[in-house]
Amino acid sequence: MSDGSSGGDGNSDGSGRVHRAVGIDELLERVRAGYERIEPQEAYAAARSGDALLVDIRYAALRERDGLIPDALVVERNELEWRLDPQGSHRLLQATSHALRVVVICNEGYASSLAVQSLHQLGLHRATDLVGGFQAWRAAGLPVV
């Protein structure tokens, strides 16, 4: 007797097609293949030259524990798309164009990759994330306050 499930190997989208489930490692690999990630020193130089906007999406407890990157915007992950969409009614003043180069920073560089995928879907085609996240920034000896 069938219960209509796909046996755990995928899911149906309602059209009768079954899609293979993807694990997080494969998802990250696919997402990251669509753009070039940035190393801490390059992100630092881009921010200092005005070529990039650093956006810290770490939650408050991590920011309190580890500190902040000077001049990085703090935008909670659950608000990121609303704050950076240049067409959005809740956008930050810095979200002026779809051509804005945004470097998303999470703690270790995983959640930021998924966030970049979402920003790309909004048309922010220059969005990228920091390889290794905040921890790599700090390990590189870059400024933290």
Side-chain angles (χ1 to χ4, degrees), residues 51-53 84 86 94-102 124-127:
D51 183 46
L53 178 65
L84 293 183
Q94 295 89 338
T96 57
S97 163
H98 286 100
L100 180 65
R101 185 176 186 198
V102 175
L124 291 156
H125 61 276
R126 294 183 69 206

Side-chain angles (χ1 to χ4, degrees), residues 85-120:
D85 179 4
Q87 298 174 340
S89 59
H90 299 289
R91 71 176 179 85
L92 295 169
L93 293 176
Q94 295 89 338
T96 57
S97 163
H98 286 100
L100 180 65
R101 185 176 186 198
V102 175
V103 179
V104 181
I105 303 165
C106 68
N107 194 47
E108 294 181 342
Y110 296 101
S112 56
S113 295
L114 299 177
V116 166
Q117 178 187 36
S118 182
L119 294 178
H120 284 186

Side-chain angles (χ1 to χ4, degrees), residues 7-97:
D9 292 332
N11 55 43
S12 175
D13 63 5
S15 69
R17 294 179 300 200
V18 175
H19 301 279
R20 183 179 66 81
V22 177
I24 188 62
D25 292 333
E26 184 177 342
L27 178 60
L28 280 170
E29 186 177 315
R30 287 181 185 183
V31 165
R32 290 172 175 169
Y35 66 96
E36 189 173 327
R37 301 179 78 208
I38 192 169
E39 295 288 337
Q41 291 288 351
E42 184 183 354
Y44 177 68
R48 285 188 51 110
S49 72
D51 183 46
L53 178 65
L54 303 181
V55 179
D56 186 343
I57 64 168
R58 294 175 300 142
Y59 53 89
L62 289 176
R63 294 191 311 266
E64 291 169 10
R65 182 189 77 189
D66 294 336
L68 299 168
I69 295 172
D71 299 322
L73 284 180
V74 173
V75 179
E76 296 285 338
R77 173 61 191 99
N78 64 329
E79 296 181 359
L80 185 67
E81 291 82 356
W82 284 267
R83 300 295 184 224
L84 293 183
D85 179 4
Q87 298 174 340
S89 59
H90 299 289
R91 71 176 179 85
L92 295 169
L93 293 176
Q94 295 89 338
T96 57
S97 163

